[in-house]
Amino acid sequence: MPASPAAYLLLHLFLRLTAKTCYECLIDGGQFCLENNKCIGNSTEIKCEKSVDLSINCPSVPALQYAYDDEFVRYTVLPVIAAARRPDPQVCLDNQLPTMKAFKRREANCSSLFSDVKCAGYTGYDETRKLIVLSIRGSHGVHHGTIPFFDVGRVTKVFHDNFESLWFGGLGEDLHHLIKTYPDFEIWITGYSMGASLALITSAYMALTGMSHPHNMKVILLGCPRCTDYQFAMWHSMNFPYSYHIIHAHDYAPRVPFFDNIDNISLYHPRTEVWYNNEMKEGDGYIICEQADQPFCSSQIQNLSTPDHMHYFNMDITRWADHGCPKNREDFKPIFGTHQRIIFEEEKDSKN
Ligand SMILES: *[C@@H]1O[C@H](CO)[C@@H](O)[C@H](O)[C@H]1NC(C)=O
Ligand SMILES: *[C@@H]1O[C@H](CO)[C@@H](O)[C@H](O)[C@H]1NC(C)=O
Ligand SMILES: *[C@@H]1O[C@H](CO)[C@@H](O)[C@H](O)[C@H]1NC(C)=O
Ligand SMILES: *[C@@H]1O[C@H](CO)[C@@H](O)[C@H](O)[C@H]1NC(C)=O
């Protein structure tokens, strides 16, 4: 649904009128039918193929002033994300966004099992665009359940630990410094893959500690694994008006883990999912998911893919970053066809 602004506005107004009904319906123990936008109670008599039984999935889309913009993410945010893969992020920024300056890059040991597993992140600023950026690169980790996060829900322990290593390893101090220097600047928080999960947790930490207001932040995540429980996802969805997590076709990463079998809870993405069920070439369509997460939008897909995780916006992000994000993107298109998929054997509700 790559909608025109006018269509967006109409849709938003329409959903605003019906959304209340959906929440009320669920509170009353009913189900909300998406086919006719009607509350169908909890009777099994009434047939409705597509209905919502969780408030987080009551239909809505972001307000017009926070609308998703493909070109913005493709040409401005992607280089900020790719730069986090380099020891010298400035190389990518110089080639793509010359007014943006990397401030400091921080690395941390992000594994209790291996001493050489590092995650990293950098802060930067752009006096022309009036913004501060934070871009995080994750590593890999073993899922060991969830832990409480302030009083807003639970987050995956491994990502929380990685977040703390990076944050208290200097990233937090650097951001404090930049916010003090540029108190009026907008803040972008970005990441790719596990770095996206760390970015999501960081955005929540900054809001909950009063470092910045969620209305002053743009959260943009690519291929983000699930890392939060229902309560956290609901809290984040209600408080961050500009937060998008983008999913490329059958990318496996955003669809795991489905269920945390240590704490026996389902995990949910906060809003708002943007799903490109194609190669993400320039002009390709996408869906702004009106529901937050399972069982809607991309999570309906069963056959998942690893190559789709490597390629976002029709770019091989790692190779492009390794070469310093050259202006000419042509040489960094995916080498093998996106649709050569590797079936990822995920047992949905047992092991993660
Ligand atoms: C189903 O609806 C009835 C009447 O509306 C209500 O009393 C009952 O608690 C509901 N059951 C569930 C499981 O929500
Ligand atoms: C990470 O671990 C290595 C090996 O244990 C150690 O030499 C290094 O100082 C650690 N780095 C940080 C930032 O803690
Ligand atoms: C999760 O479920 C398993 C299997 O039913 C049970 O052994 C385990 O104690 C449960 N864990 C928690 C934290 O409730
Ligand atoms: C994935 O599954 C769908 C439906 O079962 C099928 O149409 C599609 O061809 C599959 N795609 C790949 C790449 O395996």
Side-chain angles (χ1 to χ4, degrees):
M1 184 195 61
S4 71
Y8 244 131
L9 188 62
L10 279 176
L11 182 64
H12 184 66
L13 287 174
F14 171 71
L15 292 167
R16 280 252 298 264
L17 293 174
T18 57
K20 200 174 159 225
T21 324
C22 177
Y23 292 117
E24 282 176 354
C25 172
L26 301 190
I27 286 167
D28 293 344
Q31 293 209 358
F32 188 76
C33 182
L34 292 173
E35 287 154 21
N36 55 10
N37 283 315
K38 286 212 170 92
C39 190
I40 54 169
N42 58 14
S43 150
T44 49
E45 314 267 289
I46 302 165
K47 271 226 177 103
C48 178
E49 301 265 312
K50 252 181 98 187
S51 66
V52 162
D53 57 6
L54 292 171
S55 304
I56 201 169
N57 285 327
C58 279
S60 84
V61 291
L64 186 61
Q65 78 255 44
Y66 303 110
Y68 181 74
D69 178 353
D70 170 282
E71 198 179 297
F72 163 68
V73 178
R74 186 180 298 266
Y75 293 107
T76 309
V77 180
L78 196 64
V80 175
I81 291 174
R85 310 194 73 77
R86 296 187 63 86
D88 49 359
Q90 190 65 48
V91 174
C92 269
L93 300 180
D94 281 347
N95 279 329
Q96 293 288 329
L97 308 162
T99 57
M100 204 175 282
K101 302 296 163 212
F103 177 58
K104 273 188 186 165
R105 182 180 183 271
R106 301 284 188 169
E107 242 182 34
N109 290 334
C110 279
S111 168
S112 50
L113 301 176
F114 310 100
S115 62
D116 62 340
V117 173
K118 301 251 192 293
C119 47
Y122 73 92
T123 47
Y125 59 97
D126 187 329
E127 291 179 341
T128 308
R129 291 185 174 85
K130 295 198 183 309
L131 58 94
I132 294 170
V133 298
L134 169 64
S135 182
I136 303 185
R137 173 193 181 156
S139 53
H140 46 87
V142 183
H143 188 75
H144 277 307
T146 59
I147 59 165
F149 192 71
F150 295 80
D151 59 353
V152 299
R154 301 178 74 83
V155 301
T156 300
K157 183 172 180 338
V158 63
F159 294 137
H160 181 265
D161 291 353
N162 293 354
F163 153 73
E164 285 205 321
S165 303
L166 267 180
W167 187 261
F168 296 107
L171 216 48
E173 201 181 294
D174 301 343
L175 261 173
H176 270 294
H177 175 84
L178 287 174
I179 290 172
K180 222 174 135 195
T181 313
Y182 303 111
D184 305 328
F185 283 16
E186 181 174 88
I187 304 174
W188 295 355
I189 302 175
T190 66
Y192 167 40
S193 193
M194 289 199 181
S197 300
L198 301 188
L200 175 63
I201 294 173
T202 306
S203 71
Y205 183 90
M206 290 175 68
L208 290 163
T209 55
M211 219 171 142
S212 182
H213 195 278
H215 287 215
N216 193 40
M217 294 187 229
K218 282 194 165 90
V219 181
I220 304 133
L221 314 171
L222 302 188
C224 183
R226 286 193 184 96
C227 67
T228 60
D229 73 347
Y230 183 85
Q231 194 195 335
F232 180 107
M234 193 76 183
W235 170 80
H236 200 277
S237 301
M238 283 165 53
N239 284 283
F240 282 76
Y242 192 107
S243 183
Y244 288 103
H245 73 100
I246 297 154
I247 299 182
H248 175 209
H250 292 226
D251 182 358
Y252 74 94
R255 299 181 177 97
V256 295
F258 177 78
F259 188 80
D260 167 22
N261 64 331
I262 295 168
D263 296 318
N264 300 333
I265 51 171
S266 291
L267 299 177
Y268 290 88
H269 284 297
R271 286 170 181 274
T272 294
E273 172 182 332
V274 183
W275 185 30
Y276 288 81
N277 194 15
N278 47 45
E279 309 213 359
M280 298 187 84
K281 291 184 173 145
E282 212 170 317
D284 275 351
Y286 51 85
I287 290 167
I288 305 288
C289 189
E290 290 174 15
Q291 284 74 42
D293 195 1
Q294 41 183 318
F296 298 96
C297 296
S298 69
S299 58
Q300 295 169 76
I301 295 275
Q302 299 299 324
N303 41 7
L304 306 180
S305 151
T306 306
D308 285 0
H309 187 60
M310 317 296 290
H311 305 142
Y312 269 77
F313 295 97
N314 199 30
M315 297 288 292
D316 182 338
I317 295 177
T318 305
R319 205 157 46 86
W320 188 47
D322 287 348
H323 285 78
C325 309
K327 279 196 185 62
N328 183 355
R329 294 183 172 209
E330 282 307 310
D331 295 340
F332 304 95
K333 305 250 178 273
I335 293 170
F336 46 90
T338 295
H339 293 301
Q340 265 171 267
R341 302 192 195 285
I342 296 163
I343 307 295
F344 184 84
E345 303 283 348
E346 173 75 7
E347 290 169 68
K348 270 196 132 183
D349 44 11
S350 55
K351 305 253 157 33
N352 107 72

